[in-house]
Amino acid sequence: MMETANIDLKVALIDSDYYTEKAIHAYLAWDRRTRALTDYSSLAEFWQSLDGAADANYPDVIILDVNNVGERGDIRRSIVRLVETFPDVTLVCLSHIDDLDLFYAAAAGGAHAFLHKDDVRFHIASAVCIATTELRKDELLYSRKMDVARRLLNHRRATRPLATALPKPMQYVGLEASKSDEVGFKRRRVIELFAIEGMPAALIANELKLTVNTVYDYKKEAYELLGFDASAPDDAFLADLPQRERAFMKLTALEKLRR
């Protein structure tokens, strides 16, 4: 398993949804481990861009929105072509629907991950890193909304792959992901909106029905609760980052893959 500081992935994104594409690109660009290359609106545009390109310019990861590639057979053939052309590239399939046919086509074609867009959102860079550095050769990473498709795939006893669940987001005491602790939940929303979405304090206050001073207080408390341990490899990597960027990396992190 690679340490965070040693991960430097060039990522090509193929997504026909303009707004989703821009959001994913922004999350990848903010994460120090991933470098977002040119975005493509279709597979045809991606293949055309490679004409005459040197191998050194090839991506380390391809993120493919499979919802507009075609029928199951078309998707499988497209994935097989990508895998055979780029045997060392990690192929991550994204979908906004939990469709078994899409999932099975990706698995049969040799994709490394099949993730529902609602599951990954701003965790996309962490999911890409897990798919690239922590999976075994025969594993397919899947996210929560694809669990039914995963169970059906395993029931069919496909020769490939062994489906592996995407880890849950990291949790921090005092920054609750649920509303059971209202203050902790609002702290988390404040720091997410600031560090991930880039919203200024006045807009955050309006969004969460808080005063601006409360937003500043919650932001300060959230930074303290996130903290970092300079003796830990991953946190040592964050030590030299600006405070907001460090918070972004912490909030978008996923737990370690369970074996």
Side-chain angles (χ1 to χ4, degrees):
M1 183 188 304
M2 285 189 181
E3 291 182 358
T4 297
N6 297 324
I7 301 175
D8 181 18
L9 302 172
K10 295 180 293 183
V11 184
L13 174 61
I14 307 170
D15 195 324
S16 59
D17 185 321
Y18 176 83
Y19 295 103
T20 301
E21 178 186 77
K22 295 308 173 189
I24 293 174
H25 186 108
Y27 296 140
L28 293 170
W30 255 92
D31 196 298
R32 288 295 180 101
R33 301 166 297 177
T34 53
R35 287 185 283 151
L37 303 177
T38 305
D39 300 336
Y40 305 95
S41 60
S42 67
L43 261 175
E45 183 182 345
F46 171 75
W47 287 118
Q48 186 177 14
S49 73
L50 294 179
D51 288 344
D55 290 1
N57 295 323
Y58 287 172
D60 301 305
V61 179
I62 296 173
I63 299 178
L64 173 65
D65 175 0
V66 296
N67 296 129
N68 295 301
V69 175
E71 300 299 325
R72 173 174 156 181
D74 299 322
I75 294 167
R76 185 183 183 283
R77 284 188 291 273
S78 295
I79 290 172
V80 168
R81 183 184 177 191
L82 287 167
V83 170
E84 290 180 347
T85 305
F86 310 104
D88 297 324
V89 169
T90 299
L91 178 58
V92 176
C93 294
L94 288 185
S95 175
H96 66 262
I97 54 176
D98 52 344
D99 186 281
L100 173 61
D101 283 342
L102 295 179
F103 189 86
Y104 193 84
H112 301 86
F114 194 104
L115 309 173
H116 196 289
K117 289 183 178 181
D118 289 347
D119 289 335
V120 289
R121 298 175 58 244
F122 50 69
H123 299 288
I124 183 64
S126 290
V128 163
C129 291
I130 289 172
T132 304
T133 66
E134 298 191 37
L135 293 186
R136 292 189 286 258
K137 188 176 181 180
D138 62 341
E139 288 182 299
L140 173 75
L141 191 68
Y142 72 92
S143 63
R144 179 178 56 84
K145 287 194 174 182
M146 302 310 305
D147 191 55
V148 172
R150 183 270 309 178
R151 284 188 276 115
L152 288 171
L153 175 70
N154 282 356
H155 181 69
R156 293 184 181 188
R157 298 186 180 277
T159 55
R160 187 198 179 279
L162 172 65
T164 302
L166 184 73
K168 295 178 180 179
M170 288 289 294
Q171 301 299 315
Y172 303 94
V173 176
L175 298 173
E176 310 309 322
S178 70
K179 294 183 179 180
S180 56
D181 178 346
E182 185 176 356
V183 173
F185 178 78
K186 286 187 175 179
R187 275 199 209 104
R188 188 179 184 97
R189 289 300 297 139
V190 164
I191 196 63
E192 284 180 347
L193 291 173
F194 175 74
I196 298 175
E197 305 298 341
M199 288 178 64
L203 288 182
I204 296 174
N206 183 63
E207 174 92 5
L208 301 181
K209 304 296 188 291
L210 302 170
T211 67
V212 173
N213 285 339
T214 300
V215 168
Y216 283 128
D217 289 342
Y218 280 174
K219 185 174 73 171
K220 180 180 178 182
E221 292 166 4
Y223 275 139
E224 292 173 354
L225 290 166
L226 286 171
F228 74 97
D229 179 2
S231 64
D234 283 356
D235 277 10
F237 166 72
L238 304 177
D240 295 328
L241 300 184
Q243 196 173 34
R244 178 181 168 188
E245 193 173 349
R246 188 189 306 162
F248 175 92
M249 295 291 290
K250 286 275 194 175
L251 291 166
T252 59
L254 296 170
E255 295 178 353
K256 295 296 183 183
L257 197 64
R258 294 181 181 179
R259 295 297 185 186

